[in-house]
């Protein structure tokens, strides 16, 4: 079933009785060519691109809960390609191009809104760093513009420009960045994969990974054993547990990241605005809620909820940046489980076990990577060689020390990102 | 979350700096292969459940602490001085 304006109109006029479920709910078959563990954004995108780009449709996605019930359904929905280091730069550039074509590619309204991302700077040094990063982005072929304080004021007049501690010295403007409807991204990829013959199997937790002579042969699940020639693990915060099923330890520590939404308000924040000094960022959803978040709580956690000190810090940062936000009432907050890598950059690579592939380490930036990650991971699984834009996301970079991608420049150490 | 420092008593989480998994205490032999050192530095069990961690009482007595904690419930089972549990 394809969506079109005419279809929506006729359905609307006939009581919306003609809609059907957008994907099947199949029982697992005993064997697949490829099994993807994890039915989140990255896993569903991987399955979609395996089918679309490589013609591989004897594929199952195994999800222990429901599709898109993890981090893809609980993030702050920001899409951008404003990275400064080789490795990340070309990857996110590719991913943003996929975002720009996503709605046509999926025939699904993911409400992609290129409202622009504005990073604020508060010192000469930070402005210089932004100039450098902006040039790196432009060299990559993406857009970036260094704004003066007056240009920033024109876009976002409600900020506290003359703040005593963090006066605004300008900003880096990335006009192709923005937000998208996070759930719709998962649903769009799920529907596209299902239409091409991929089995999306929910309520199916993987409890074991079978290997034979150094090669993966399948998985054990709560819905029985499934044989597979290749297995892709893309389970975000749960990467440590799933890799453990194959006897692997990963350079990953799972942390909690909190986010917040206010009651619905009339449109007031037109862009994504980030305040790096407070590790605070904000946008306004199409429903009107102000969606904002801060930094990690900075301790290992699988609780999917955070603690009050970070909530207080985020509220303080919000008040520092835009005092008007004090009038808004916070409706809810939540925490997601982040797969933190030592250098803050992701991993898309083979493992020491033939046929077992790994996709993890997205830290607190996995949403914008969904299409690029799926595309590159599908390429790696299908062709057994790295896709160029993701070729530097190597698992062994931590032991060799080559190709560390530490965007924050704090060092490749677990508790620093 | 609050931690009970053996020296200072019950204190707010904000007084403490989180270092990470207590596996850091099990340093490889200085003559061990480089790979052992790389693994020690980067690889983690990353357990969902009970775990032992190193915390630093930065805004208190500046002791290094061994905290036994549940990463799923945030329940804290015990806090001890690292110098006591890792005497060597």
């Amino acid at each position: 079933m394809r969506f079109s304006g005419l279809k929506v109109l006729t359905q609307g006029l006939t009581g919306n009785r003609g809609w059907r479920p957008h994907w099947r709910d199949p029982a697992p078959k005993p064997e697949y060519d490829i099994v993807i563990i994890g039915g989140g954004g990255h896993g569903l995108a991987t399955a979609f691109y395996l089918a679309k780009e490589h013609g591989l449709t004897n594929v199952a996605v195994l999800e222990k809960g429901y599709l898109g019930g993890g981090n893809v359904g609980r993030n702050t929905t920001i899409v951008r390609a404003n990275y400064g280091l080789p490795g990340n730069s070309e990857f996110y550039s590719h991913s943003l191009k996929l975002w720009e074509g996503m709605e046509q590619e999926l025939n699904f309204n993911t409400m992609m809104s290129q409202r622009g991302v504005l990073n604020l700077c508060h010192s000469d040094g930070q402005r210089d760093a932004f100039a450098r990063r902006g040039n790196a982005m432009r060299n990559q072929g993406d857009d970036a513009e260094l704004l003066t304080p007056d240009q920033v004021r024109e876009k976002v007049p409600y900020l506290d420009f003359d703040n005593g501690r963090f006066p605004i010295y300008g900003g880096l403007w990335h006009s192709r960045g923005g937000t998208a409807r996070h759930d719709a991204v998962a649903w769009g990829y799920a529907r596209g994969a299902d239409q091409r013959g991929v089995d999306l199997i929910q309520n199916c937790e993987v409890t074991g990974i079978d290997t034979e002579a150094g090669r993966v042969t399948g998985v054990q699940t709560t819905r029985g054993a499934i044989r597979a020639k290749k297995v892709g693990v893309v389970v975000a915060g749960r990467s440590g547990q799933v890799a453990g099923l194959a006897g692997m330890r990963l350079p990953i520590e799972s942390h909690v990241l909190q986010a917040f939404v206010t009651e619905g308000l009339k449109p007031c924040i037109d862009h994504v605005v980030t305040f790096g000094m407070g590790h605070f960022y904000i946008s306004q959803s199409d429903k009107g809620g102000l969606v904002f978040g801060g930094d990690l709580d900075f301790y290992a956690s699988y609780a999917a909820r955070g603690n009050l000190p970070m909530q207080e810090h985020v509220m303080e940062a919000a008040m520092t940046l835009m005092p008007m936000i004090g009038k808004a009432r916070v409706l809810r907050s939540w925490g997601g489980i982040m797969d933190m890598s030592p250098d803050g950059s992701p991993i898309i690579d083979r493992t020491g076990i033939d046929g077992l592939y790994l996709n993890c380490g997205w830290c607190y930036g996995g949403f914008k990577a969904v299409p690029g990650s799926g595309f590159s991971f599908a390429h790696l699984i299908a062709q057994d060689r790295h896709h160029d834009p993701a070729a530097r996301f190597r698992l062994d970079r931590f032991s060799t020390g080559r190709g560390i991608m530490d965007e924050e420049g704090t060092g490749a150490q677990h508790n620093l990102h | 979350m609050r931690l009970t420092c053996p020296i200072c008593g019950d204190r707010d989480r904000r007084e403490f700096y989180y270092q990470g998994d207590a596996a850091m205490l099990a340093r490889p032999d200085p003559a061990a292969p480089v790979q052992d050192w790389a693994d020690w530095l980067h690889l983690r069990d990353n357990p969902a459940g009970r775990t032992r961690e190193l915390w630093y009482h930065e805004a208190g007595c500046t002791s290094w602490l061994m905290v036994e904690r549940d990463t799923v419930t945030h329940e804290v089972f015990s806090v001890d001085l690292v110098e006591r549990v890792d005497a060597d």
Side-chain angles (χ1 to χ4, degrees):
Chain A
M1 179 166 54
R2 279 190 65 79
F3 287 113
S4 66
L6 184 65
K7 186 121 196 159
V8 170
L9 191 66
T10 30
Q11 284 293 334
L13 293 173
T14 53
N16 282 310
R17 283 187 296 268
W19 300 115
R20 295 285 169 268
H22 289 292
W23 50 81
R24 301 162 293 129
D25 187 21
K29 290 191 278 193
E31 184 164 3
Y32 291 92
D33 290 340
I34 300 170
V35 160
I36 303 296
I37 306 175
H42 292 240
L44 294 167
T46 303
F48 173 79
Y49 289 115
L50 278 170
K52 178 169 182 272
E53 299 295 323
H54 306 281
L56 299 170
T57 55
N58 187 18
V59 175
V61 176
L62 309 183
E63 166 55 45
K64 77 169 177 178
Y66 59 94
L67 296 180
N71 289 347
V72 74
R74 45 197 299 129
N75 59 74
T76 48
T77 78
I78 295 166
V79 174
R80 58 187 169 91
N82 56 357
Y83 282 69
L85 293 181
N88 281 327
S89 190
E90 62 263 36
F91 173 80
Y92 289 105
S93 179
H94 178 246
S95 195
L96 181 56
K97 291 186 185 90
L98 291 173
W99 276 108
E100 289 174 325
M102 180 188 287
E103 290 176 338
Q104 307 306 320
E105 185 171 38
L106 298 178
N107 174 237
F108 203 87
N109 183 9
T110 57
M111 297 166 74
M112 174 66 176
S113 161
Q114 292 180 291
R115 57 186 67 184
V117 174
L118 176 64
N119 303 135
L120 298 168
C121 59
H122 310 274
S123 68
D124 290 333
Q126 202 184 6
R127 187 172 48 202
D128 289 349
F130 277 10
R132 185 209 166 278
R133 182 144 63 98
N135 283 328
M137 290 157 65
R138 293 173 78 123
N139 281 341
Q140 184 58 48
D142 293 320
D143 67 283
E145 196 185 336
L146 199 59
L147 302 185
T148 64
D150 283 344
Q151 287 171 308
V152 174
R153 203 182 286 266
E154 207 169 299
K155 278 191 194 306
V156 283
Y158 46 80
L159 302 182
D160 183 6
F161 282 82
D162 304 314
N163 183 279
R165 180 66 183 87
F166 297 117
I168 292 169
Y169 275 46
L172 187 62
W173 173 245
H174 174 43
S175 68
R176 284 164 62 230
T179 62
R181 171 86 165 91
H182 50 349
D183 295 314
V185 175
W187 299 334
Y189 277 119
R191 173 172 168 270
D194 176 86
Q195 282 174 344
R196 286 165 175 80
V198 171
D199 281 357
L200 308 175
I201 299 161
Q202 305 180 63
N203 299 311
C204 181
E205 181 172 356
V206 171
T207 55
I209 295 177
D210 301 331
T211 59
E212 219 174 272
R215 185 164 184 90
V216 75
T217 56
V219 294
Q220 300 291 325
T221 78
T222 50
R223 297 180 69 176
I226 301 172
R227 293 184 62 80
K229 296 185 184 74
K230 293 179 175 178
V231 174
V233 177
V234 49
V235 294
R238 294 283 168 176
S239 295
Q241 277 80 61
V242 176
L245 298 176
M248 292 166 54
R249 295 171 81 222
L250 298 179
I252 296 288
E253 203 172 73
S254 293
H255 282 249
V256 57
L257 179 72
Q258 301 191 68
F260 310 84
V261 180
T262 70
E263 61 194 333
L265 302 168
K266 289 193 174 179
C268 56
I269 296 179
D270 300 333
H271 319 287
V272 178
V273 181
T274 79
F275 174 43
M277 302 313 291
H279 209 294
F280 173 83
Y281 52 96
I282 188 165
S283 66
Q284 188 168 16
S285 79
D286 291 347
K287 280 194 295 188
L290 305 182
V291 183
F292 55 95
D295 210 345
L296 296 176
D297 271 31
F298 275 109
Y299 48 83
S301 174
Y302 288 86
R305 65 173 188 278
N307 266 290
L308 292 171
M310 185 48 69
Q311 300 194 2
E312 184 178 39
H313 174 82
V314 169
M315 300 307 160
E316 285 169 354
M319 289 300 290
T320 303
L321 180 68
M322 46 178 79
M324 74 170 185
I325 203 171
K327 300 276 185 194
R329 282 171 293 195
V330 174
L331 201 60
R332 60 196 169 92
S333 70
W334 68 96
I337 308 169
M338 309 291 115
D339 38 332
M340 301 302 299
S341 67
D343 65 353
S345 292
I347 295 160
I348 298 180
D349 207 348
R350 301 180 189 89
T351 64
I353 298 166
D354 287 342
L356 184 66
Y357 303 86
L358 182 67
N359 180 332
C360 65
W362 294 99
C363 299
Y364 28 71
F367 181 67
K368 63 184 168 295
V370 163
S373 163
F375 196 99
S376 294
F377 198 39
H379 186 282
L380 176 66
I381 294 171
Q383 304 199 9
D384 211 33
R385 58 190 179 87
H386 288 273
H387 182 227
D388 281 344
R392 300 201 200 201
F393 292 167
R394 297 300 174 97
L395 178 58
D396 70 357
R397 67 180 183 270
F398 304 105
S399 48
T400 64
R402 282 191 296 275
I404 298 285
M405 286 168 284
D406 174 12
E407 292 276 345
E408 293 172 350
T410 53
Q413 186 178 312
H414 272 295
N415 59 345
L416 297 181
H417 290 273
Chain B
M1 189 193 298
R2 294 176 73 82
L3 296 177
T4 305
C5 173
I7 292 175
C8 311
D10 186 32
R11 294 299 179 95
D12 189 277
R13 177 260 176 275
R14 272 170 288 202
E15 293 191 6
F16 301 89
Y17 172 79
Y18 173 78
Q19 174 66 33
D21 197 302
M24 292 297 283
L25 291 176
R27 280 172 177 267
D29 185 85
V34 170
Q35 189 63 47
D36 289 7
W37 280 93
D39 291 352
W40 168 77
L41 194 59
H42 299 297
L43 301 188
R44 295 288 179 266
D45 289 335
N46 197 17
R50 216 173 165 114
T51 185
R52 296 199 317 155
E53 299 169 330
L54 302 178
W55 291 68
Y56 178 59
H57 198 178
E58 189 174 23
C61 59
T62 70
S63 296
W64 279 98
L65 305 174
M66 171 76 79
V67 176
E68 197 168 6
R69 196 174 63 90
D70 192 307
T71 57
V72 176
T73 63
H74 292 169
E75 183 180 358
V76 177
F77 302 110
S78 69
V79 183
D80 209 341
L81 296 176
V82 169
E83 62 181 46
R84 207 143 60 196
V85 293
D86 188 54
D88 51 341

